[in-house]
């Protein structure tokens, strides 16, 4: 992965945490230095929502307390996590009860994050199709994530994982994005929409019907998003998230080249 990233002009690469646990932080640092790369992001392993019961949450928090200093030593201070936009528990939790539980769990993680200088990027999943058949929906917008962070008093070490697809399908506006402080955004994912061709509206696009940024003519205004992010002073990671079957059918070498070219073209637009 590092060799491919370097060969195709990427500045950073994300971390496979199992590699870190097996080989240690210094091996990760050495690999990045060998290929001239910066740390990107790593996965955040704790399920903050009701995907996990209390026992599973406690166990994952204990495990994370061991992983956290290793992540920090390797330079991976950004940790990515997506919030399921529905209640997964049995029985299903109503929104307010689920919100209070998730906020309380987030607050318990804060001391570990602050101790090691780590930041969690929470991604709201906006696609309506993922929650329309669920009994109780949950947080699925940027404002919902901001409220959750505030309720947990976690703004010093928890921010937004900004995915243009989920922002767009929730009716996101560039003017609203411009109102955010750059410190609130931790990680950015760029996507374009698969053209609807009468099958759905732009706000009802299924979760996995995406294109690389620009491949649909910027139905999602990724150049506009990048301009706003630059205006507010964001300087963190920007990636493409290629949930796209034709791309997945290519060889890894062709796919990485396509992703790199799409990002270059989007930044230049």
């Amino acid at each position: 992965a590092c060799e491919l990233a370097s060969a195709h002009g990427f500045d950073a690469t994300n971390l496979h945490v199992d590699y870190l646990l097996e080989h240690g932080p210094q091996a990760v640092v050495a690999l990045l230095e060998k290929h001239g790369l910066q740390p990107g992001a790593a996965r955040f392993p704790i399920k903050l929502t009701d995907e996990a019961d209390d026992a599973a949450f406690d166990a994952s928090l204990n495990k994370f307390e061991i992983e956290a200093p290793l992540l920090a030593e390797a330079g991976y201070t950004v940790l990515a996590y997506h919030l399921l936009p529905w209640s997964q528990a049995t029985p299903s939790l109503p929104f307010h009860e689920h919100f209070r539980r998730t906020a309380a769990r987030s607050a318990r993680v804060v001391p570990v994050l602050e101790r090691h200088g780590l930041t969690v990027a929470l991604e709201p999943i906006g696609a309506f199709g993922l929650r329309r058949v669920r009994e109780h929906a949950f947080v699925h917008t940027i404002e919902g994530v901001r409220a959750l962070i505030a309720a947990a008093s976690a703004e010093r070490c928890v921010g937004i994982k900004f995915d243009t697809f989920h922002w767009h399908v929730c009716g996101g506006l560039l003017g609203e994005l411009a109102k955010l402080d750059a410190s609130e955004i931790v990680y950015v994912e760029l996507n374009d929409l698969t053209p609807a061709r009468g099958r759905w509206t732009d706000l009802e696009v299924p979760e996995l019907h995406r294109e690389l940024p620009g491949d649909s003519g910027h139905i999602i205004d990724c150049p506009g998003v990048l301009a706003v992010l630059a205006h507010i002073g964001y300087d963190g990671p920007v990636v493409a998230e290629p949930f796209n079957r034709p791309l997945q059918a290519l060889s890894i070498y062709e796919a990485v080249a396509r992703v790199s070219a799409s990002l270059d073209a989007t930044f230049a637009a």
Side-chain angles (χ1 to χ4, degrees):
C2 289
E3 184 175 342
L4 275 173
S6 180
H8 289 281
F10 290 92
D11 297 319
T13 186
N14 288 352
L15 176 67
H16 196 305
V17 175
D18 288 345
Y19 184 91
L20 169 67
L21 297 178
E22 180 178 352
H23 298 282
Q26 291 309 311
V28 173
V29 171
L31 193 58
L32 293 175
E33 289 179 349
K34 176 182 177 181
H35 294 284
L37 296 169
Q38 298 296 315
R43 59 108 175 99
F44 179 63
I46 301 175
K47 296 189 184 304
L48 300 172
T49 63
D50 67 0
E51 291 178 81
D53 61 21
D54 289 339
F57 170 78
D58 290 341
S60 63
L61 179 55
N62 290 335
K63 181 180 178 182
F64 180 61
E65 289 179 341
I66 297 170
E67 290 183 4
L70 302 178
L71 289 162
E73 188 176 346
Y76 279 86
T77 59
V78 173
L79 310 178
Y81 179 79
H82 66 270
L83 291 165
L84 283 186
W86 66 80
S87 172
Q88 186 83 342
T90 304
S92 178
L93 291 182
F95 180 92
H96 294 91
E97 182 180 352
H98 195 183
F99 187 96
R100 286 189 292 270
R101 177 181 296 188
T102 304
R105 288 179 172 184
S106 300
R108 287 184 58 191
V109 175
V110 165
V112 184
L113 297 173
E114 290 190 325
R115 191 179 309 132
H116 299 287
L118 306 177
T119 302
V120 173
L122 294 183
E123 179 183 6
I125 305 297
F128 176 65
L130 292 177
R131 63 183 188 278
R132 66 184 176 85
V133 295
R134 304 288 176 164
E135 182 179 1
H136 293 115
F138 192 51
V139 169
H140 55 272
T141 65
I142 286 177
E143 290 305 316
V145 169
R146 295 178 84 197
L148 182 63
I149 292 168
S153 297
E155 59 271 17
R156 298 177 304 280
C157 53
V158 180
I160 298 163
K161 184 170 178 269
F162 176 71
D163 182 308
T164 58
F165 174 86
H166 292 296
W167 167 77
H168 180 85
V169 298
C170 284
L173 301 173
L174 291 176
E176 291 179 330
L177 182 60
K179 297 295 185 182
L180 295 176
D181 189 89
S183 65
E184 295 184 80
I185 304 173
V186 181
Y187 192 85
V188 173
E189 294 175 331
L190 303 180
N191 298 276
D192 210 346
L193 292 188
T194 300
R197 299 188 180 94
R199 292 172 291 176
W200 49 68
T201 71
D202 277 0
L203 302 186
E204 296 172 333
V205 181
E207 159 76 355
L208 299 181
H209 284 69
R210 310 189 193 190
E211 306 293 334
L212 289 173
D215 276 10
S216 295
H218 294 300
I219 296 175
I220 299 177
D221 187 4
C222 288
V225 166
L226 292 176
V228 170
L229 292 175
H231 173 73
I232 66 175
Y234 175 74
D235 61 358
V238 177
V239 307
E241 188 178 35
F243 283 166
N244 178 276
R245 289 185 178 89
L247 187 72
Q248 292 167 358
L250 299 177
S251 74
I252 186 65
Y253 305 99
E254 293 174 296
V256 172
R258 283 280 313 280
V259 172
S260 178
S262 76
L263 286 170
D264 287 344
T266 301
F267 273 96

